[in-house]
Amino acid sequence: MTSMPPEERIGSHVKRTEQALLAAKNAALKPSAVTVPQYAALLWLAEKPGISAAALARLCGVTPPTMTTVLKNLQERGLIERSPHEWHRNVLETRLTQEGRAVMEQADAAAVAVERALVGEFSEEERELLVRLLGRCVQVLDTQR
């Protein structure tokens, strides 16, 4: 097995980028008093009211137990409400409350500012290339599982 110098390992660069992005978003979301996973849940709930916790976990890229904790915390703050599904009583539907929508909008403005700063560092061609290259990374890694 041949060794590979750390600076040549794409994974370490992707990880550092992800950590920097999460740190920037956590800092931006601080005034809204939500974490990145909580913000992601609020954002998807605004798009898909009534979605199940399992489907929400998939969209947010977290495990179902993590989403259960996220939803519990959001519910305790009065940002979401959960009620039994009309036909499937064992399925809870989750929706934003009015306060939840206001927090989501404040948090989204802060998160979008981080994204705009990031996009602003690249030309349109560079951004499109980066997105394509990252997509290729996902394809290769998906075949490695």
Side-chain angles (χ1 to χ4, degrees), residues 67-80:
M67 184 52 65
T68 298
T69 302
V70 166
L71 293 176
K72 181 175 156 284
N73 292 333
L74 292 173
Q75 191 170 14
E76 285 172 1
R77 285 189 55 198
L79 302 182
I80 63 168

Side-chain angles (χ1 to χ4, degrees), residues 1-140:
M1 186 161 131
T2 308
S3 182
M4 179 183 237
E7 62 274 1
E8 289 180 18
R9 298 177 190 204
I10 291 174
S12 62
H13 295 283
V14 171
K15 183 66 176 176
R16 281 198 353 250
T17 303
E18 179 192 31
Q19 288 172 329
L21 177 61
L22 284 173
K25 282 196 176 175
N26 271 319
L29 295 173
K30 206 169 189 86
S32 301
V34 292
T35 64
V36 171
Q38 289 171 341
Y39 158 68
L42 292 173
L43 189 64
W44 278 111
L45 285 167
E47 288 290 315
K48 298 180 179 289
I51 191 171
S52 71
L56 191 58
R58 283 190 295 278
L59 287 172
C60 293
V62 299
T63 64
T66 297
M67 184 52 65
T68 298
T69 302
V70 166
L71 293 176
K72 181 175 156 284
N73 292 333
L74 292 173
Q75 191 170 14
E76 285 172 1
R77 285 189 55 198
L79 302 182
I80 63 168
E81 54 192 11
R82 305 186 78 198
S83 57
H85 187 278
E86 185 179 349
W87 302 306
H88 307 285
R89 289 292 176 201
N90 57 339
V91 174
L92 287 177
E93 291 187 320
T94 307
R95 289 181 168 33
L96 294 179
T97 62
Q98 193 170 347
E99 183 182 353
R101 181 163 300 280
V103 169
M104 183 280 298
E105 288 171 357
Q106 178 189 19
D108 193 43
V112 166
V114 170
E115 293 284 348
R116 286 195 199 289
L118 189 54
V119 167
E121 286 298 309
F122 299 96
S123 69
E124 184 64 24
E125 297 78 22
E126 287 173 328
R127 187 194 64 75
E128 289 173 3
L129 176 60
L130 179 59
V131 169
R132 282 198 313 275
L133 293 173
L134 290 170
R136 276 179 39 202
C137 289
V138 170
Q139 286 176 334
V140 168

